[in-house]
Amino acid sequence: MIQASKKRTDYRGVAMCAVLAVAAVAIGIAAVVVDEAVLGLAAAVVGVAAAAIGALVDVRRTRAEDSLWVERSQARRLRRQLESLQVAVAEEQRLAVVPPAGTDLPAGTDTTDWEIDPVSGLLRERHLPVLLQQVVAAARRKVLPVSVVFWEVDDLGAAPVDAQNQALTALGAVAWRTLRESDAVFRLGDVVAVAVLVDTAEPGARMVADRVREALRASPVGDSLTVSAGIACYPTHALDAAELVARAGRALELARAAGHERDHVAVAEQAG
């Protein structure tokens, strides 16, 4: 509606310009015929008015073209954003096919390519090195701490596979509820969960380790399950991702030894 109105305005301006131009010519001819200077001056004034209206019409046309170009650019940008959102939604829908932890799967279902372990609900171990390297690299640039926390379910090393899976499922559910959205939790082996805590130093990592243990004790399986925890922090205990995981693993071993393999937390030694 607005564009149509602009077009009508432009047409009126062109028509008025044409009328004034014809009038200026007519007045000029009359001035020559009757030899009147006043008519010549009037013809000049009408000609100037016609030129001014023509210039105004040209300015409006240029502005309309610029506005149209901007609107087209915005439309292209919005179309690209919509395409990006469609890709993101499709990816979320693809990942959403992973059922919640503890869901019974059809016999023969191949889950090896899934990003999330369908039993525990934790991220696959294969993604841990890549993510941790990225997190440590970012922390190094921004001078921020990073912590790695190991939790191992106590006294389940020789238990049946079903019992181990059930225990790790409970641990994974508690870990995801306890940690922040910026943190990540991975399955490591049969009865171990590993958390990567961004922008978290040793005191915060201790609080997280204890919070998960306490939440597990308060859960319906709390009477039968406990976990031991090991902690290592960047840059206090290690300066790269691989050493950070190794030191957290050794701290877990110390926790299990000091706690007689039951419900204990240990922190890695200071980096030498």
Side-chain angles (χ1 to χ4, degrees):
M1 184 66 70
I2 295 177
Q3 291 180 350
S5 176
K6 287 182 177 178
K7 288 182 179 179
R8 287 196 296 271
T9 302
D10 291 343
Y11 290 148
R12 287 197 298 269
V14 172
M16 185 176 296
C17 184
V19 169
L20 290 175
V22 172
V25 172
I27 295 173
I29 294 173
V32 171
V33 171
V34 300
D35 193 20
E36 286 290 339
V38 174
L39 290 177
L41 179 61
V45 171
V46 173
V48 170
I53 293 175
L56 179 62
V57 170
D58 186 66
V59 169
R60 288 184 176 180
R61 179 186 59 80
T62 302
R63 288 179 179 177
E65 290 178 350
D66 291 343
S67 177
L68 180 61
W69 184 84
V70 170
E71 290 176 356
R72 287 177 176 175
S73 299
Q74 291 177 345
R76 286 194 296 268
R77 186 176 69 253
L78 291 173
R79 187 163 52 249
R80 289 194 297 268
Q81 292 176 349
L82 178 60
E83 291 173 352
S84 300
L85 288 174
Q86 289 174 339
V87 171
V89 170
E91 180 66 14
E92 289 182 358
Q93 290 176 345
R94 184 185 69 81
L95 295 178
V97 300
V98 179
T103 300
D104 293 332
L105 300 173
T109 301
D110 185 7
T111 63
T112 56
D113 291 334
W114 291 6
E115 306 300 322
I116 298 176
D117 172 46
V119 174
S120 63
L122 303 176
L123 295 170
R124 292 283 192 183
E125 178 182 346
R126 61 175 176 264
H127 301 298
L128 174 61
V130 176
L131 183 138
L132 186 56
Q133 284 182 347
Q134 293 176 344
V135 169
V136 171
R140 187 178 294 116
R141 290 193 300 270
K142 299 178 181 179
V143 195
L144 295 174
V146 176
S147 294
V148 171
V149 181
F150 276 47
W151 290 281
E152 181 173 356
V153 181
D154 295 319
D155 301 329
L156 281 183
V161 175
D162 289 344
Q164 293 179 352
N165 287 339
Q166 292 173 4
L168 198 58
T169 298
L171 175 58
V174 167
W176 280 127
R177 288 198 303 268
T178 305
L179 272 60
R180 303 166 299 181
E181 292 183 357
S182 58
D183 301 326
V185 195
F186 301 82
R187 177 171 184 167
L188 186 63
D190 295 328
V191 290
V192 177
V194 184
V196 177
L197 312 178
V198 298
D199 193 13
T200 304
E202 181 181 325
R206 279 181 173 272
M207 291 177 59
V208 171
D210 284 332
R211 196 180 303 138
V212 169
R213 292 164 61 244
E214 292 170 0
L216 187 62
R217 282 197 294 267
S219 69
V221 295
D223 294 336
S224 57
L225 289 180
T226 60
V227 293
S228 298
I231 299 170
C233 307
Y234 167 89
T236 307
H237 306 127
L239 298 178
D240 61 70
E243 183 63 18
L244 193 60
V245 171
R247 285 183 171 268
R250 288 197 291 270
L252 176 62
E253 295 175 358
L254 293 175
R256 292 177 60 76
H260 301 289
E261 298 189 354
R262 191 167 183 82
D263 205 22
H264 195 71
V265 176
V267 178
E269 298 177 354
Q270 296 282 340

